[in-house]
Amino acid sequence: MGEGSIRSHIRRLRFENGEMTQQELAARAGCTRQTIGALEQGGYVPSLALAFRIARVFGLGIEDVFEYEG
Amino acid sequence: MSLGEMSQTRRRAWLATIIWSVAGLGFALTFFMGGGPGGLAEDSSRHLAGAVALAFGFLGYWLSLWLTRQRKGEPPVADERDLQIVARANQATLVIVLVGIFAFAITLWTVYESAGTLPVGWMWFLAYGAVILASVASGVATLILDGRTGGHG
Protein backbone atom coordinates (compact mmCIF):
# COMPACT_ATOMS: atom_id res chain seq x y z
CA MET A 1 0.00 0.00 0.00
CA GLY A 2 1.39 3.41 -0.92
CA GLU A 3 2.04 5.91 1.86
CA GLY A 4 0.53 8.91 0.11
CA SER A 5 1.81 12.32 1.02
CA ILE A 6 0.96 15.24 3.26
CA ARG A 7 0.49 18.71 1.79
CA SER A 8 0.60 21.64 4.13
CA HIS A 9 -0.96 25.08 3.84
CA ILE A 10 1.49 26.60 6.28
CA ARG A 11 3.01 29.11 3.89
CA ARG A 12 -0.41 30.54 2.95
CA LEU A 13 -1.57 30.57 6.56
CA ARG A 14 1.56 32.39 7.69
CA PHE A 15 0.90 35.19 5.24
CA GLU A 16 -2.76 35.31 6.13
CA ASN A 17 -1.75 35.72 9.77
CA GLY A 18 0.13 38.97 9.54
CA GLU A 19 2.99 37.63 7.45
CA MET A 20 4.20 35.55 10.35
CA THR A 21 7.82 34.51 9.89
CA GLN A 22 8.97 30.90 9.90
CA GLN A 23 11.00 31.66 13.02
CA GLU A 24 7.97 33.06 14.81
CA LEU A 25 5.80 30.10 13.93
CA ALA A 26 8.58 27.71 14.92
CA ALA A 27 8.97 29.37 18.31
CA ARG A 28 5.23 29.21 18.97
CA ALA A 29 4.89 25.63 17.78
CA GLY A 30 7.99 24.43 19.61
CA CYS A 31 10.09 23.33 16.66
CA THR A 32 12.95 24.70 14.57
CA ARG A 33 12.69 27.18 11.69
CA GLN A 34 14.24 24.50 9.46
CA THR A 35 11.38 22.13 10.23
CA ILE A 36 8.83 24.75 9.22
CA GLY A 37 10.77 25.21 5.97
CA ALA A 38 10.82 21.45 5.41
CA LEU A 39 7.06 21.22 6.03
CA GLU A 40 6.36 24.01 3.57
CA GLN A 41 8.49 22.29 0.95
CA GLY A 42 6.77 18.95 1.56
CA GLY A 43 10.05 17.29 2.51
CA TYR A 44 8.99 16.29 5.99
CA VAL A 45 5.86 14.70 7.46
CA PRO A 46 5.28 15.97 11.02
CA SER A 47 4.29 13.92 14.02
CA LEU A 48 0.66 14.22 15.10
CA ALA A 49 1.72 16.24 18.13
CA LEU A 50 3.60 18.80 16.05
CA ALA A 51 0.78 18.99 13.50
CA PHE A 52 -1.67 19.77 16.32
CA ARG A 53 0.63 22.40 17.79
CA ILE A 54 1.01 24.15 14.43
CA ALA A 55 -2.76 24.06 13.82
CA ARG A 56 -3.30 25.49 17.29
CA VAL A 57 -1.02 28.46 16.51
CA PHE A 58 -3.34 29.37 13.63
CA GLY A 59 -6.43 28.62 15.67
CA LEU A 60 -7.51 25.98 13.16
CA GLY A 61 -8.15 22.26 13.04
CA ILE A 62 -5.43 19.94 11.86
CA GLU A 63 -7.22 19.24 8.55
CA ASP A 64 -7.29 22.95 7.75
CA VAL A 65 -3.50 23.02 7.87
CA PHE A 66 -2.53 19.60 6.53
CA GLU A 67 -4.07 17.66 3.70
CA TYR A 68 -3.60 13.97 3.04
CA GLU A 69 -3.08 13.12 -0.59
CA GLY A 70 -3.48 9.36 -0.75
CA MET B 1 23.84 29.07 3.59
CA SER B 2 25.86 30.50 6.49
CA LEU B 3 26.70 28.49 9.58
CA GLY B 4 24.34 30.66 11.65
CA GLU B 5 21.34 29.83 9.45
CA MET B 6 21.87 26.09 9.74
CA SER B 7 20.09 23.87 12.21
CA GLN B 8 22.14 22.50 15.09
CA THR B 9 22.09 19.06 13.48
CA ARG B 10 23.42 20.36 10.17
CA ARG B 11 26.10 22.50 11.85
CA ARG B 12 27.26 19.56 13.93
CA ALA B 13 27.28 17.26 10.91
CA TRP B 14 29.42 19.70 8.91
CA LEU B 15 31.85 20.15 11.78
CA ALA B 16 32.06 16.39 12.44
CA THR B 17 32.67 15.67 8.77
CA ILE B 18 35.44 18.26 8.52
CA ILE B 19 37.10 17.39 11.84
CA TRP B 20 37.06 13.64 11.26
CA SER B 21 38.17 13.99 7.64
CA VAL B 22 41.21 15.93 8.82
CA ALA B 23 41.84 13.32 11.52
CA GLY B 24 41.46 10.56 8.92
CA LEU B 25 43.88 12.25 6.55
CA GLY B 26 46.44 12.62 9.33
CA PHE B 27 45.95 9.01 10.32
CA ALA B 28 46.29 7.73 6.73
CA LEU B 29 49.42 9.80 6.12
CA THR B 30 50.95 8.50 9.35
CA PHE B 31 50.19 4.94 8.42
CA PHE B 32 51.07 4.84 4.74
CA MET B 33 53.89 7.39 4.56
CA GLY B 34 55.60 5.67 7.46
CA GLY B 35 55.80 2.37 5.62
CA GLY B 36 52.34 0.83 5.93
CA PRO B 37 51.72 -2.17 8.17
CA GLY B 38 55.30 -3.45 8.02
CA GLY B 39 57.28 -2.59 11.13
CA LEU B 40 54.37 -0.79 12.76
CA ALA B 41 54.49 -3.01 15.83
CA GLU B 42 57.99 -1.71 16.69
CA ASP B 43 57.37 1.90 15.67
CA SER B 44 56.07 3.71 18.74
CA SER B 45 56.21 7.14 17.04
CA ARG B 46 53.59 6.01 14.54
CA HIS B 47 51.46 4.59 17.33
CA LEU B 48 51.61 7.99 19.00
CA ALA B 49 50.82 9.84 15.76
CA GLY B 50 47.75 7.63 15.22
CA ALA B 51 46.59 8.26 18.78
CA VAL B 52 47.08 12.00 18.27
CA ALA B 53 44.94 11.87 15.11
CA LEU B 54 42.18 10.07 16.98
CA ALA B 55 42.45 12.43 19.97
CA PHE B 56 42.19 15.40 17.59
CA GLY B 57 39.00 13.90 16.17
CA PHE B 58 37.37 13.25 19.55
CA LEU B 59 38.43 16.53 21.16
CA GLY B 60 37.42 18.51 18.10
CA TYR B 61 34.08 16.75 17.97
CA TRP B 62 33.36 17.34 21.67
CA LEU B 63 34.35 20.96 21.28
CA SER B 64 31.94 21.30 18.35
CA LEU B 65 29.13 19.83 20.49
CA TRP B 66 29.83 22.41 23.18
CA LEU B 67 30.04 25.31 20.71
CA THR B 68 26.73 24.38 19.08
CA ARG B 69 24.84 23.68 22.33
CA GLN B 70 21.38 25.08 23.12
CA ARG B 71 21.85 28.40 24.90
CA LYS B 72 19.52 29.87 27.50
CA GLY B 73 16.65 31.90 26.05
CA GLU B 74 17.36 30.65 22.53
CA PRO B 75 14.50 29.15 20.46
CA PRO B 76 14.67 25.35 20.05
CA VAL B 77 17.76 24.36 18.08
CA ALA B 78 16.64 20.77 17.52
CA ASP B 79 13.31 18.98 17.32
CA GLU B 80 11.63 15.76 16.22
CA ARG B 81 12.88 16.16 12.64
CA ASP B 82 16.47 16.31 13.85
CA LEU B 83 15.99 13.21 15.99
CA GLN B 84 14.60 11.39 12.96
CA ILE B 85 17.49 12.49 10.75
CA VAL B 86 20.09 11.43 13.33
CA ALA B 87 18.39 8.06 13.87
CA ARG B 88 18.34 7.34 10.14
CA ALA B 89 21.93 8.54 9.77
CA ASN B 90 22.98 6.14 12.54
CA GLN B 91 21.30 3.28 10.69
CA ALA B 92 23.13 4.22 7.49
CA THR B 93 26.42 4.53 9.38
CA LEU B 94 26.02 1.04 10.82
CA VAL B 95 25.59 -0.44 7.35
CA ILE B 96 28.52 1.57 5.92
CA VAL B 97 30.85 0.46 8.73
CA LEU B 98 29.75 -3.18 8.46
CA VAL B 99 30.30 -3.19 4.71
CA GLY B 100 33.61 -1.34 5.10
CA ILE B 101 34.98 -3.77 7.69
CA PHE B 102 33.74 -6.76 5.71
CA ALA B 103 35.32 -5.51 2.49
CA PHE B 104 38.59 -4.68 4.25
CA ALA B 105 38.77 -8.05 6.02
CA ILE B 106 37.97 -9.99 2.86
CA THR B 107 40.61 -8.01 0.95
CA LEU B 108 43.20 -8.92 3.58
CA TRP B 109 42.11 -12.52 3.37
CA THR B 110 42.44 -12.53 -0.42
CA VAL B 111 45.87 -10.87 -0.40
CA TYR B 112 47.41 -12.90 2.43
CA GLU B 113 45.60 -16.21 2.01
CA SER B 114 48.50 -18.01 0.41
CA ALA B 115 51.01 -16.64 2.95
CA GLY B 116 48.92 -17.85 5.87
CA THR B 117 49.87 -14.83 8.02
CA LEU B 118 49.47 -11.08 7.73
CA PRO B 119 51.28 -8.06 9.20
CA VAL B 120 49.71 -7.21 12.54
CA GLY B 121 49.83 -3.53 11.57
CA TRP B 122 46.70 -4.07 9.51
CA MET B 123 44.77 -4.80 12.71
CA TRP B 124 45.86 -1.46 14.11
CA PHE B 125 44.78 0.20 10.86
CA LEU B 126 41.41 -1.59 11.01
CA ALA B 127 40.76 -0.55 14.63
CA TYR B 128 41.58 3.12 14.16
CA GLY B 129 40.15 3.26 10.64
CA ALA B 130 36.78 1.87 11.76
CA VAL B 131 36.38 4.69 14.29
CA ILE B 132 37.24 7.33 11.69
CA LEU B 133 35.07 5.73 9.00
CA ALA B 134 32.07 5.63 11.37
CA SER B 135 32.53 9.27 12.35
CA VAL B 136 32.89 10.58 8.80
CA ALA B 137 30.05 8.38 7.52
CA SER B 138 27.74 9.62 10.28
CA GLY B 139 28.41 13.26 9.39
CA VAL B 140 27.97 12.73 5.66
CA ALA B 141 24.81 10.64 6.09
CA THR B 142 23.32 13.33 8.32
CA LEU B 143 24.07 16.03 5.74
CA ILE B 144 22.50 13.97 2.94
CA LEU B 145 19.37 13.13 4.93
CA ASP B 146 18.98 16.69 6.15
CA GLY B 147 19.24 17.92 2.56
CA ARG B 148 16.64 15.40 1.38
CA THR B 149 14.04 16.57 3.87
CA GLY B 150 14.42 20.10 2.57
CA GLY B 151 15.07 21.94 5.79
CA HIS B 152 16.70 24.98 4.18
CA GLY B 153 13.62 26.88 3.12
Side-chain angles (χ1 to χ4, degrees):
Chain A
M1 192 172 90
E3 276 188 13
S5 62
I6 303 286
R7 192 156 74 96
S8 92
H9 302 293
I10 292 177
R11 189 186 294 268
R12 176 175 59 77
L13 290 165
R14 278 197 303 114
F15 284 96
E16 287 174 4
N17 282 267
E19 300 196 3
M20 187 188 293
T21 63
Q22 288 184 339
Q23 185 63 64
E24 193 182 341
L25 175 58
R28 292 175 65 180
C31 64
T32 64
R33 184 193 61 77
Q34 289 79 13
T35 293
I36 298 297
L39 289 168
E40 290 185 354
Q41 289 177 31
Y44 177 64
V45 177
S47 67
L48 261 181
L50 178 58
F52 274 114
R53 289 203 304 272
I54 290 171
R56 190 176 289 171
V57 170
F58 295 120
L60 297 170
I62 198 168
E63 288 195 326
D64 299 316
V65 182
F66 297 98
E67 202 174 316
Y68 178 67
E69 296 179 321
Chain B
M1 184 192 291
S2 72
L3 208 63
E5 290 174 333
M6 292 180 193
S7 66
Q8 181 194 57
T9 301
R10 192 167 184 80
R11 255 183 286 174
R12 286 181 170 178
W14 267 117
L15 290 169
T17 303
I18 293 166
I19 289 165
W20 281 106
S21 295
V22 171
L25 187 66
F27 166 73
L29 286 175
T30 298
F31 186 77
F32 290 108
M33 302 288 275
L40 182 75
E42 299 84 36
D43 191 347
S44 60
S45 64
R46 281 204 288 158
H47 291 168
L48 181 65
V52 167
L54 218 62
F56 169 80
F58 278 116
L59 291 175
Y61 179 65
W62 288 330
L63 181 64
S64 77
L65 293 183
W66 183 77
L67 289 172
T68 57
R69 71 194 183 283
Q70 169 93 50
R71 288 172 171 81
K72 272 188 178 173
E74 216 180 27
V77 293
D79 60 14
E80 61 177 43
R81 180 175 154 273
D82 297 283
L83 290 176
Q84 195 181 93
I85 289 169
V86 171
R88 289 172 62 194
N90 286 343
Q91 287 178 340
T93 301
L94 176 65
V95 173
I96 291 167
V97 172
L98 283 176
V99 170
I101 290 175
F102 178 82
F104 184 77
I106 285 297
T107 302
L108 287 182
W109 163 264
T110 306
V111 172
Y112 293 103
E113 184 184 3
S114 56
T117 59
L118 59 85
V120 73
W122 283 123
M123 295 299 103
W124 186 85
F125 181 83
L126 179 62
Y128 278 60
V131 173
I132 292 168
L133 173 65
S135 303
V136 173
S138 172
V140 172
T142 302
L143 289 173
I144 292 171
L145 290 165
D146 183 60
R148 278 192 189 165
T149 58
H152 321 303

